Amino acid sequence: MAFGSQHPRKFEDIGKIPAPGDNVAVATERLEAGTEVEREGSRFTVKNTVLEGHRFAVDGIPADGELLSWGLPFGTAVRDIPPGDYVCNPKILQALADRNVDFELPSRANFRDGGLAPYNLHEEEFQPGVRAPRHEEVRYFLGYRRGGGRGVGTRNYVVVVGTTSRTSSYAKALEERMKGAADEYENVDGVVAVAHTEGGGSEPPNNLDLLLRTLSGFVVNPNVGAVLAVDYATEVVTNQMLEDYLSDHGYPLEDVPHRFMSLEGGFEESLRKGEAVVRELLPRADETSRTEEPVSELKIALQCGGSDAFSGISGNPLAAWVAKEVIRQGGGANLAETDELIGAEHYVLENVRDLETARKFLSMVERFKEHVGRHGHTAEGNPSGGNNYRGLYNISIKSIGAALKRHPDARLDHVIEYAERMSQPGFHFMDSPGNDLESVAGQVASGCNAIFFTTGNGSITNFPFVPTVKIVTTTGRYELLRQDMDVNAGAYLDGTPMEELGRDLLDLTLRTASGERTVGERAGHSQVHIWRDWRQPTGEDLEHPQQEIEPDGSPLPIETGVPRPELAFDAVRKGGGYAADGVALIMPTSLCSGQIARRIASLLNEGEAGQGYVTRFVALPHTEGCGVSAGSSERLYSRTVLGYLSHPSVKLGLLLEHGCEKTHNDYFRKAMRERGLSPERFGWASVQLDGGIEKVVRRVEEWFTAALPETGELSFGTAGLEALRLGLYSADPLPPEAAESLAQVTREIVASGGTVVVPEKSSLLEDPVYLKGTLGDLPVERSLAYGQAVIEPGFHVMETPTDHPSETATGLGATGVETMLAYVEGHPVQAHRMVPLLQVTADPKTYQLHGEDLDLALRGEPSGWADRLLESILSVAGREYRPKLHRGGDTDFQITRGLLGVSM
């Protein structure tokens, strides 16, 4: 609309003021620059375009005056702000610039964020809160009554728990193997896996107690009808430790049909054993049937993700209204995400049971600030790019909206640790990071049997064995994602009374608790993510600063080797050179789009789109990109993702965003340009903006179908060792003969013009024989940062912040190596999802126990081992041989967070 229009818009049609006394309003639709607005008999002009969900002033705000939403301050004016001005801080202007919006942004910000000073509790003025009166009418649902104080389940699953990340791929493989096995049991909902990222290093993690508490809570959650926990008995976190924790802390394990199984022998043999155990557990789980149970047995997890400016206006108040009604029936509710309540402490504590509960809540907030501060961060790093784009300018305004998941009439009764069991009814606050999935895991472990997930952008998150009711905040977003959302809270913005929506949601909740499947359950999409380990222990100085400057990538000088021009492999022609493979890569830009990427790759591999153009489709689901701190860990993550997209084996790549993450598609377009990559080389898709799971699946399929023919058919040729890119590592001590053989392999590849990359925490770089045979008397120095792409062939050492095998392999893959070789003694490591990983040993006992999964046993005369190793490497590089565990599905992909990354 042009300036000076004679037809002003009525304010109530285009804006919403969250609370009386607010001096800014939320735009309920996009307002073009020049729009005139009539409010309470006066008019003002919107001077800049204001996106839906962003705020504009409705009253004049003087310089140094506070900007108010819900009656609480979220910023301070840096100059006078007249009515109609778009209110913006520097962060939101940068966020919108990164999104390449189609309108002119203000030239400068007009407010600054407030500080995150500790909340001052005036204890002398404290008044205990009042609990809402109990309902006289009792309502019921059909649930699974458990013994031992476990409560009542809304679902009945057999759960396979990988005790650490080392057995996560086994748990997922067993879940896939058991698909459909529960169909013959009337009372069993299915067999699902709990696969997570924790406990996989060589030293006890800093989150050990938290991890054991979470796994224990999973085991006894009322939605679990039976459980199988799986380990190797050699990890730093074992089944025995879990069993001891359950016993020592009074968890009712005896009420849960269960088995603890340590894997021995080969992967396939272990799957057969696991299948036999699950088939024993299924009829035991089936013995429990649904019975009529009171609503007092419901425990609701209150969660929000992909939040927007309307989360605190429609979605969160709706979830809060129903949670309040459940509590009035004698049930419980659980509010979490500590960092997303910083700045909203006043509201949270308006109605609290007693002074001690208030103190405990505030101490947890301060503890979280100290925790992230110890790693060099503040809670202001929480709002994601999707939050910013949808109108959440900073942590203060995000927190104010998030806190509204507590209804004013719902008294804060209890404050508990992450994954601590909810032993009493009422409203609970549980300590957790703002990372949605990590927070949900803690709530499930605390005993929640249903989840309310409020989303503004349209998060598709679900948990494997607890139903998730997704509540979207606006009608427009609900219409876009109708197939993936359960409830349209945007109807409140359209005029439907909150009480009417609340009654409808309560009815849906009882139907869901009684067995009606949510849209997420019907889609079959779910993830588990436990609060990830942090590298800096409490009370200690930083271990050492994260490497901030990437090495220049120059290879290290090594001992002279003998070129081997007679050795060759069948390679894929690529540009003016050769690659070992020609895959099509679907790269999720965050954890929430990972499972969808995997699903798409599987569908494409079953079809004909790639025939003749690529060897296969690959997806690399991971756990990063959102709900994690910025700084060095974010740069590490971005570098790793770009390393895979520009990998020599990748012929064509597509980025799949969830839509509301910190590292969205536009983030990566900018990152590509900064690293000299052209975004036009890649495909781009969005789960949310493309209309949900089914629509984005079709979009990606159609893009590859159209784009692949333009790349031309695969062409092959013979390449020598100069085209070989090898990642080489070992976590175990090596016999001298093996070390010398690997040194010879390294020298000959490098002498022939090829590349060898070794991670700095590999035992190879502590082995005097290998070091003498490669670097000679030179010191070990990093030539590559974690995930830094190799530019110049030769011998390289890659930074490795942890010794986790999967994190190591993931970093190696991003450097551009196309084949990996791991020397193992003991159990084999998980294979990489894209880059083939050979596993070899010279230890007879290791081969006797794990020969089914190992690719090569070094036997006989050691002088011939190097040739045997090169022969095996070339057979993999030439796609003649596929390593056993890659074939068997024992694969993993996990990006490290480095030394300073923390969940937020």
Side-chain angles (χ1 to χ4, degrees):
M1 185 176 291
F3 284 96
S5 168
Q6 300 301 309
H7 302 285
R9 303 289 304 278
K10 292 183 179 180
F11 172 79
E12 55 268 26
D13 294 336
I14 56 88
K16 195 81 173 178
I17 297 178
D22 288 354
N23 52 18
V24 301
V26 180
T28 55
E29 62 181 64
R30 173 169 166 155
L31 303 177
E32 300 298 339
T35 298
E36 285 196 65
V37 178
E38 185 176 274
R39 175 176 178 261
E40 296 180 351
S42 62
R43 291 187 182 185
F44 56 80
T45 300
V46 176
K47 298 178 180 61
N48 293 92
T49 297
V50 179
L51 291 175
E52 179 190 50
H54 288 242
R55 284 168 166 80
F56 59 96
V58 290
D59 296 321
I61 305 171
D64 296 323
E66 292 181 329
L67 282 70
L68 303 175
S69 257
W70 291 284
L72 298 173
F74 66 90
T76 303
V78 297
R79 61 179 185 274
D80 291 347
I81 304 176
D85 266 19
Y86 171 46
V87 297
C88 52
N89 57 0
K91 182 178 183 180
I92 208 71
L93 289 179
Q94 184 61 56
L96 293 179
D98 290 345
R99 291 281 191 164
N100 300 310
V101 293
D102 62 352
F103 56 88
E104 184 177 352
L105 293 168
S107 59
R108 55 186 176 139
N110 55 16
F111 82 89
R112 64 176 181 272
D113 298 337
L116 297 177
Y119 176 79
N120 185 19
L121 177 65
H122 300 286
E123 296 191 2
E124 68 281 359
E125 301 174 6
F126 179 82
Q127 294 292 325
V130 178
R131 172 177 280 186
R134 183 77 177 253
H135 271 298
E136 294 183 4
E137 178 191 1
V138 178
R139 298 193 65 178
Y140 297 89
F141 69 99
L142 295 176
Y144 297 94
R145 168 65 63 176
R146 310 295 187 186
R150 292 172 61 205
V152 173
T154 61
R155 296 292 183 270
N156 190 31
Y157 279 99
V158 174
V159 178
V160 181
V161 177
T163 305
T164 73
S165 62
R166 298 287 186 101
T167 50
S168 62
S169 50
Y170 173 88
K172 294 297 291 184
L174 185 55
E175 175 192 58
E176 182 66 25
R177 191 183 187 100
M178 301 307 298
K179 189 172 291 185
D183 292 350
E184 62 186 272
Y185 297 95
E186 181 180 358
N187 299 314
V188 182
D189 290 297
V191 178
V192 294
V194 167
H196 59 89
T197 61
E198 301 309 292
S202 64
E203 297 180 356
N206 291 322
N207 69 345
L208 177 60
D209 186 72
L210 178 153
L211 173 58
L212 291 171
R213 187 166 65 238
T214 305
L215 295 176
S216 297
F218 287 168
V219 169
V220 302
N221 183 282
N223 285 12
V224 175
V227 65
L228 167 63
V230 181
D231 74 348
Y232 288 119
T234 58
E235 305 96 327
V236 296
V237 183
T238 63
N239 278 350
Q240 188 60 59
M241 293 169 66
L242 175 58
E243 190 171 5
D244 290 345
Y245 191 95
L246 283 155
S247 174
D248 294 345
H249 293 81
Y251 287 83
L253 178 61
E254 66 282 354
D255 182 68
V256 187
H258 65 276
R259 286 282 299 275
F260 292 95
M261 186 174 81
S262 294
L263 303 183
E264 299 175 348
F267 189 69
E268 178 60 30
E269 177 188 353
S270 296
L271 286 173
R272 289 194 295 268
K273 290 179 179 178
E275 178 181 352
V277 172
V278 171
R279 291 196 181 279
E280 290 176 6
L281 292 173
L282 279 166
R284 297 187 62 187
D286 192 52
E287 293 171 3
T288 304
S289 58
R290 290 187 183 270
T291 54
E292 189 174 72
E293 302 291 345
V295 171
S296 59
E297 296 293 347
L298 286 181
K299 295 177 181 178
I300 308 293
L302 298 170
Q303 190 64 218
C304 57
S307 300
D308 69 357
F310 301 103
S311 294
I313 298 174
S314 61
N316 288 340
L318 175 56
W321 192 96
V322 177
K324 176 255 301 180
E325 293 299 297
V326 169
I327 291 171
R328 290 185 65 196
Q329 289 275 345
N334 182 311
L335 173 69
E337 299 179 289
T338 306
D339 49 328
E340 296 188 3
L341 296 176
I342 295 172
E345 295 93 339
H346 175 78
Y347 176 80
V348 175
L349 297 179
E350 280 183 346
N351 189 4
V352 60
R353 183 180 67 177
D354 53 32
L355 188 57
E356 183 55 37
T357 302
R359 289 173 180 152
K360 191 173 181 181
F361 168 74
L362 292 174
S363 71
M364 282 190 174
V365 170
E366 292 307 308
R367 184 178 68 181
F368 193 93
K369 289 181 184 178
E370 189 275 333
H371 165 69
V372 299
R374 192 168 63 250
H375 292 77
H377 310 291
T378 72
E380 194 54 70
N382 173 288
S384 71
N387 294 153
N388 295 153
Y389 190 62
R390 295 280 290 172
L392 297 180
Y393 298 137
N394 54 33
I395 188 60
S396 295
I397 203 163
K398 183 176 182 179
S399 293
I400 296 167
L404 289 164
K405 292 194 290 291
R406 182 191 70 78
H407 191 278
D409 294 343
R411 186 183 69 181
L412 176 58
D413 297 305
H414 312 286
V415 174
I416 60 177
E417 297 286 352
Y418 182 89
E420 181 182 345
R421 296 184 73 200
M422 298 165 61
S423 58
Q424 302 176 65
F427 196 93
H428 297 66
F429 165 74
M430 184 197 76
D431 183 35
S432 87
N435 183 300
D436 309 333
L437 293 175
E438 294 183 16
S439 185
V440 165
Q443 292 174 309
V444 169
S446 75
C448 289
N449 51 12
I451 301 165
F452 286 171
F453 195 101
T454 302
T455 179
N457 283 272
S459 293
I460 57 171
T461 297
N462 300 282
F463 195 84
F465 58 85
V466 178
T468 302
V469 177
K470 287 191 284 296
I471 304 166
V472 70
T473 62
T474 60
T475 298
R477 193 54 64 124
Y478 177 77
E479 293 297 336
L480 178 66
L481 298 165
R482 179 183 288 270
Q483 300 303 313
D484 299 296
M485 298 292 120
D486 294 280
V487 176
N488 176 25
Y492 171 71
L493 302 173
D494 302 334
T496 304
M498 183 62 72
E499 290 76 10
E500 180 180 333
L501 291 173
R503 289 191 294 270
D504 290 344
L505 176 54
L506 180 57
D507 290 342
L508 174 62
T509 302
L510 299 187
R511 297 198 307 273
T512 299
S514 299
E516 182 177 309
R517 294 200 301 165
T518 65
V519 293
E521 290 177 300
R522 294 196 295 271
H525 171 266
S526 65
Q527 292 165 283
V528 177
H529 195 21
I530 297 171
W531 192 343
R532 282 199 73 176
D533 190 24
W534 50 90
R535 300 293 297 171
Q536 307 305 327
T538 303
E540 296 187 13
D541 294 332
L542 295 180
E543 185 176 326
H544 60 73
Q546 185 84 13
Q547 181 169 311
E548 292 293 332
I549 301 176
E550 292 182 7
D552 64 11
S554 298
L556 303 177
I558 67 168
E559 296 294 303
T560 303
V562 178
R564 301 289 299 275
E566 76 278 11
L567 298 179
F569 65 100
D570 183 44
V572 176
R573 298 183 191 275
K574 188 175 183 183
Y578 291 96
D581 211 344
V583 307
L585 175 64
I586 304 169
M587 191 74 206
T589 67
S590 69
L591 68 167
C592 290
S593 56
Q595 300 307 314
I596 307 306
R598 176 186 281 180
R599 173 179 168 182
I600 295 170
S602 178
L603 289 171
L604 286 168
N605 280 322
E606 293 171 1
E608 300 180 354
Q611 288 187 8
Y613 301 111
V614 292
T615 57
R616 58 198 163 105
F617 291 88
V618 175
L620 296 176
H622 55 82
T623 61
E624 303 308 302
C626 203
V628 65
S629 52
S632 58
S633 57
E634 183 179 309
R635 289 189 290 275
L636 182 156
Y637 164 69
S638 173
R639 181 172 63 233
T640 303
V641 170
L642 293 180
Y644 279 98
L645 288 165
S646 58
H647 194 280
S649 289
V650 173
K651 187 182 181 191
L652 190 62
L654 176 141
L655 293 89
L656 177 65
E657 69 171 11
H658 187 212
C660 55
E661 59 266 72
K662 181 180 294 187
T663 54
H664 44 73
N665 279 349
D666 285 328
Y667 172 97
F668 275 108
R669 287 187 178 97
K670 180 180 179 183
M672 284 179 179
R673 294 187 184 100
E674 290 173 350
R675 288 192 173 259
L677 293 172
S678 171
E680 286 69 33
R681 285 176 48 193
F682 302 94
W684 305 85
S686 173
V687 176
Q688 293 170 359
L689 298 181
D690 287 329
I693 296 174
E694 295 304 322
K695 290 181 179 179
V696 80
V697 168
R698 289 196 298 273
R699 175 180 170 84
V700 174
E701 288 179 317
E702 290 168 358
W703 184 83
F704 274 113
T705 299
L708 280 170
E710 297 179 7
T711 68
E713 294 188 355
L714 288 170
S715 174
F716 302 93
T718 301
L721 293 185
E722 75 282 352
L724 197 63
R725 304 172 183 91
L726 176 69
L728 186 62
Y729 71 102
S730 172
D732 305 305
L734 292 83
E737 299 85 356
E740 172 52 40
S741 298
L742 290 172
Q744 182 180 337
V745 167
T746 301
R747 292 193 302 269
E748 292 181 355
I749 292 174
V750 172
S752 301
T755 298
V756 177
V757 183
V758 179
E760 65 177 344
K761 290 190 183 295
S762 171
S763 61
L764 287 168
L765 298 182
E766 298 175 354
D767 188 287
V769 175
Y770 183 80
L771 289 175
K772 188 69 175 176
T774 51
L775 291 172
D777 296 325
L778 295 175
V780 176
E781 297 180 351
R782 298 172 182 165
S783 62
L784 299 171
Y786 181 93
Q788 181 180 349
V790 171
I791 298 175
E792 186 176 350
F795 180 70
H796 291 275
V797 173
M798 184 193 75
E799 171 201 19
T800 320
T802 74
D803 63 2
H804 190 293
S806 292
E807 292 186 0
T808 298
T810 299
L812 281 176
T815 69
V817 300
E818 298 184 281
T819 306
M820 297 186 204
L821 186 148
Y823 179 88
V824 298
E825 290 196 1
H827 201 280
V829 297
Q830 289 157 302
H832 191 281
R833 287 197 176 117
M834 185 177 93
V835 181
L837 168 64
L838 271 168
Q839 305 204 48
V840 305
T841 189
D843 177 44
K845 184 178 179 181
T846 295
Y847 194 78
Q848 180 182 3
L849 291 174
H850 305 293
E852 181 182 323
D853 296 333
L854 293 170
D855 300 292
L856 178 64
L858 296 173
R859 298 169 174 169
E861 177 56 47
S863 61
W865 287 2
D867 283 346
R868 292 184 60 201
L869 287 166
L870 280 169
E871 180 183 347
S872 295
I873 291 167
L874 291 172
S875 69
V876 171
R879 302 168 315 287
E880 298 173 15
Y881 175 79
R882 187 178 173 194
K884 292 179 180 178
L885 284 182
H886 193 272
R887 275 181 274 152
D890 189 9
T891 63
D892 196 19
F893 184 86
Q894 185 170 319
I895 301 173
T896 185
R897 287 185 176 175
L899 298 176
L900 302 180
V902 291
S903 301
M904 296 178 67

